[in-house]
Amino acid sequence: MSGEFDLIARHFAPLAKDAPLAFGLKDDAALFVPAKGKSLVLTADAIVEGVHFLHDDPPDQIGRKLLRVNLSDLAAKGATPRAYLLTCAFPRDIDERWIAAFARGLKADQRQFDIVLLGGDTVATPGPATFSATMFGEVKGRAMLRRAGARPGDLLCTTGTIGDGGLGLTELLTPHAGLPAAQRRYLIARYRLPQPRTRIGAMLAGMASAGLDVSDGLVQDVGHLARQSGVQAIVDLAEVPLSPAARRLERTDAGVRARAISAGDDYEITFTIPPKRLAALESAALRSRTRVTVIGRIEKGAGVAVRLPDGTLAEPETGGYDHFGR
Ligand code: ADP
Ligand code: MG
């Protein structure tokens, strides 16, 4: 096992080679020059072994997941991702091959999402492996999509399908006997490797009235949007888009849909839009090849209500994930 400086030179410096202002990770800091007329959108997310990933998860996927949870936040803010800083706390006895595979995952997603590494920190920890990325994206002017901004009459929309990540985690822990193997693999892949909606995200700035990334359960996250906007959000349960695998599970378990809207790890964007912009949204969905579904609407009031298939409104217990919940 080599020292800190060798680890940085061997595994992380190659990830900064396309960023001349990272100076090969041989200086104390890097420079970043935003494009003219753009603002930087900043976000950070950390992942911890035993909480966000499991000890035996493939290291390349852990690296990619770290980047993708941050990419998802930038997408939900209407930003185009550009660069990131990386902090790694490795257990002292970590195998260097693990670090090499982790870095390969980072490299693959840097290429896929067109971002570069600018710097970071590397430390040893007596605790579980912990990684944090701080990511930089750009928006025109100040056009960052906020959680605040939804207005009564707006449509509530989401990208992709809801619940797959949470159902994938369940499949890892207690596989459902009736589910075909390909659909199980699909759900587990959705848990391990979120697909951040960066293409449509960048198009939502200036189109959506509010937006956020759904990572802690649709209902809980829509609740944040409603609170910050000072409105009520109605989620039409029957309209929430489920994947074929989730619908397959729903055939034998009517509770799947309710679990889907409170489970975490979706990494979709949920946003609101004035109805007059629906045509522009449909065109953006086509151009970005992203599924978009209207799942409800915004009304005067507060909080989230779920419209059940029989038409009655239910006030959900928030559900969703809270690290300090007890
Ligand atoms: P310091 O002495 O200030 O802690 P370091 O030795 O940690 O500085 O860092 C040296 C250089 O390596 C810096 O440019 C830093 O940004 C970079 N660096 C350290 N760890 C990482 C990492 N995990 N990923 C990317 N860059 C890193
Ligand atoms: Mg350091």
Side-chain angles (χ1 to χ4, degrees):
M1 179 76 181
S2 35
E4 176 191 337
F5 301 108
D6 294 329
L7 286 181
I8 295 168
R10 206 170 300 147
H11 301 291
F12 298 121
L15 302 179
K17 75 170 174 18
D18 294 331
L21 298 181
F23 311 113
L25 305 185
K26 288 188 199 112
D27 209 316
D28 297 302
L31 273 168
F32 184 85
V33 183
K36 212 160 178 254
K38 303 263 172 105
S39 302
L40 288 184
V41 177
L42 309 175
T43 188
D45 255 308
I47 60 175
V48 179
E49 179 182 317
V51 181
H52 303 90
F53 62 91
L54 307 173
H55 182 79
D56 295 325
D57 282 350
D60 60 316
Q61 289 195 18
I62 296 167
R64 300 177 85 176
K65 185 163 184 178
L66 175 66
L67 295 185
R68 287 169 182 229
V69 296
N70 282 281
L71 288 161
S72 178
D73 275 316
L74 289 183
K77 302 294 98 182
T80 302
R82 296 290 312 275
Y84 69 103
L85 300 170
L86 173 69
T87 298
C88 299
F90 294 117
R92 212 162 253 298
D93 61 358
I94 193 156
D95 184 338
E96 194 170 335
R97 280 171 305 187
W98 194 101
I99 300 180
F102 175 74
R104 270 198 301 280
L106 297 173
K107 184 175 178 189
D109 270 5
Q110 282 187 207
R111 228 186 269 133
Q112 180 166 343
F113 294 98
D114 198 16
I115 52 176
V116 290
L117 179 62
L118 289 183
D121 202 13
T122 303
V123 296
T125 173
T130 301
F131 305 101
S132 171
T134 300
M135 203 170 277
F136 302 59
E138 284 179 340
V139 289
K140 226 185 265 169
R142 301 281 158 90
M144 184 180 101
L145 212 54
R146 305 277 320 275
R147 290 180 175 187
R151 293 273 160 272
D154 285 355
L155 302 171
L156 180 66
C157 308
T158 191
T159 60
T161 55
I162 296 298
D164 295 330
L167 294 169
L169 178 57
T170 307
E171 282 305 311
L172 272 175
L173 302 175
T174 49
H176 184 284
L179 191 66
Q183 294 193 328
R184 172 170 307 119
R185 279 198 302 275
Y186 166 84
L187 291 175
I188 291 172
R190 286 274 283 163
Y191 167 68
R192 285 202 170 137
L193 209 58
Q195 302 294 326
R197 303 298 179 182
T198 48
R199 285 194 312 258
I200 196 166
M203 299 179 190
L204 291 176
M207 183 187 307
S209 48
L212 86 176
D213 122 284
V214 190
S215 55
D216 295 330
L218 178 74
V219 167
Q220 176 170 307
D221 284 324
V222 168
H224 296 316
L225 184 149
R227 196 168 319 111
Q228 294 307 317
S229 295
V231 296
Q232 184 184 35
I234 313 277
V235 175
D236 222 323
L237 189 59
E239 301 302 325
V240 172
L242 299 189
S243 66
R247 275 186 277 119
R248 177 68 183 70
L249 288 172
E250 198 184 18
R251 293 214 307 246
T252 53
D253 177 357
V256 162
R257 192 166 279 271
R259 286 210 300 286
I261 63 168
S262 58
D265 291 302
D266 288 314
Y267 300 103
E268 298 292 348
I269 308 176
T270 291
F271 58 97
T272 58
I273 186 166
K276 63 169 193 263
R277 299 207 189 120
L278 202 51
L281 174 61
E282 277 165 4
S283 144
L286 274 178
R287 274 180 289 138
S288 61
R289 277 168 279 139
T290 308
R291 176 175 179 174
V292 171
T293 309
V294 176
I295 57 168
R297 51 187 284 130
I298 300 299
E299 297 188 354
K300 282 194 197 126
V304 192
V306 176
R307 194 186 310 281
L308 303 176
D310 68 4
T312 56
L313 282 184
E315 301 267 334
E317 338 75 80
T318 38
Y321 192 70
D322 174 353
H323 283 272
F324 294 96
R326 57 197 93 198

